[in-house]
Amino acid sequence: MSIDSDLACDRFAVATILLSTAILACAPPRGDLGVYTDNDPADSTESAGTTSGAPTSSGGPDAPEPASEAACAEQTDLSAAWHNVVFDPDITADDFAAACAVTDLQLDPAHLFLDCAGQGVRIALGDAQLSPLFAVGDAVALDYRSLGNRYETWFTLRRPDSEATLLLAGVRAVTLAPAGAPDFFAPWTMTSGAGACPITPTCESPREKLAVEFSHADGATTVLPPSRTIFGASARYELNVGTALLNYRELPGCDLTDLSPHNFAARIVLAPAP
């Protein structure tokens, strides 16, 4: 299912998606990331290893090819990067970090259940491939950050080994990394770049689609939403971007104060060896 963020409320939204009805509830004015739900998201129409015409790079000197008109026109599909972290019982703090154990996993749609020293955590992940990456009894380290009543979130799951191997990560926020933590997603760094799909912004169309560059010791690759790709040599990762937008908030004669400067939804998953 493709969720058109341009038609969603101009703020983060939390909604329940039913088979025949969608009910949208708007959060405080933080921007437009589309619809998020604890329920099962629809399967993505994108397949792993494709980038929907997105420019890509291996870190070489050649500049990436410009995005195609069709890729720039393609609507946001949050299932490409869908995730939601739920605490049971709920927590009051914005941040949470703990050693955890996998207690259960559901494969389709993907849900990962953790016990973090008595704190239950469920991570809903849509069409992410959890097997053979996780198994019941696995020890993992969870780092969760949030801002603005959890309408902006970042999280990582790592192995408790000396390298703190990144297994799974996600961002749903107006910045790609939490404030003051540029290495939160190490070994990956995500940066956004304008110019992939340039527009002449208007009051009715103030959002410009951005490409997101994922940098790693093996090089870099650029993903244009809504799409995903597999990248890496020493360790292969599936890199997903559902939303990456630059919002022109200060256009003359427009009232766009509810828009945030940017909106991002992305997910990183360690992929099995080929």
Side-chain angles (χ1 to χ4, degrees), residues 51 55-59 80-81 166 169-171 176 185 187-193 211-225 227-229 231-232 237-244 264-269:
T51 56
T56 60
S57 170
S58 60
L166 182 66
V171 51
L176 284 166
F185 295 111
W188 290 100
T189 299
M190 290 183 281
T191 56
S192 63
V212 175
E213 182 180 81
F214 293 80
S215 302
H216 186 272
D218 294 332
T221 187
T222 303
V223 181
L224 186 70
S227 60
R228 67 192 75 198
T229 189
F231 186 81
Y237 283 84
E238 182 181 285
L239 311 172
N240 310 260
V241 182
T243 297
F264 299 103
R267 189 176 70 203
I268 301 172
V269 185

Side-chain angles (χ1 to χ4, degrees), residues 2 9 21 43 46 55 59 75 80 93-94 109 119 122 125 150 158 180 191 227 256 261 270:
S2 178
C9 297
T21 306
D43 290 339
E46 296 294 330
Q75 298 297 323
D94 286 338
Q119 172 65 58
R122 174 173 60 87
L125 293 153
R150 300 186 198 161
R158 299 179 181 273
T191 56
S227 60
L256 302 173
L270 182 63

Side-chain angles (χ1 to χ4, degrees), residues 199-267:
I199 65 168
T200 301
T202 66
C203 296
E204 293 72 29
S205 299
R207 302 176 181 89
E208 179 179 324
K209 182 184 287 192
L210 300 175
V212 175
E213 182 180 81
F214 293 80
S215 302
H216 186 272
D218 294 332
T221 187
T222 303
V223 181
L224 186 70
S227 60
R228 67 192 75 198
T229 189
I230 299 289
F231 186 81
S234 56
R236 290 161 45 86
Y237 283 84
E238 182 181 285
L239 311 172
N240 310 260
V241 182
T243 297
L245 294 171
L246 168 64
N247 301 316
Y248 291 88
R249 308 170 62 201
E250 299 180 358
L251 296 176
C254 304
D255 182 9
L256 302 173
T257 55
D258 281 356
L259 285 177
S260 59
H262 296 87
N263 296 130
F264 299 103
R267 189 176 70 203

Side-chain angles (χ1 to χ4, degrees), residues 3-30:
I3 302 176
D4 185 352
S5 66
D6 288 348
L7 297 179
C9 297
D10 289 332
R11 55 201 69 183
F12 290 111
V14 178
T16 302
I17 300 179
L18 304 178
L19 290 177
S20 60
T21 306
I23 302 174
L24 182 64
C26 295
R30 304 290 298 182

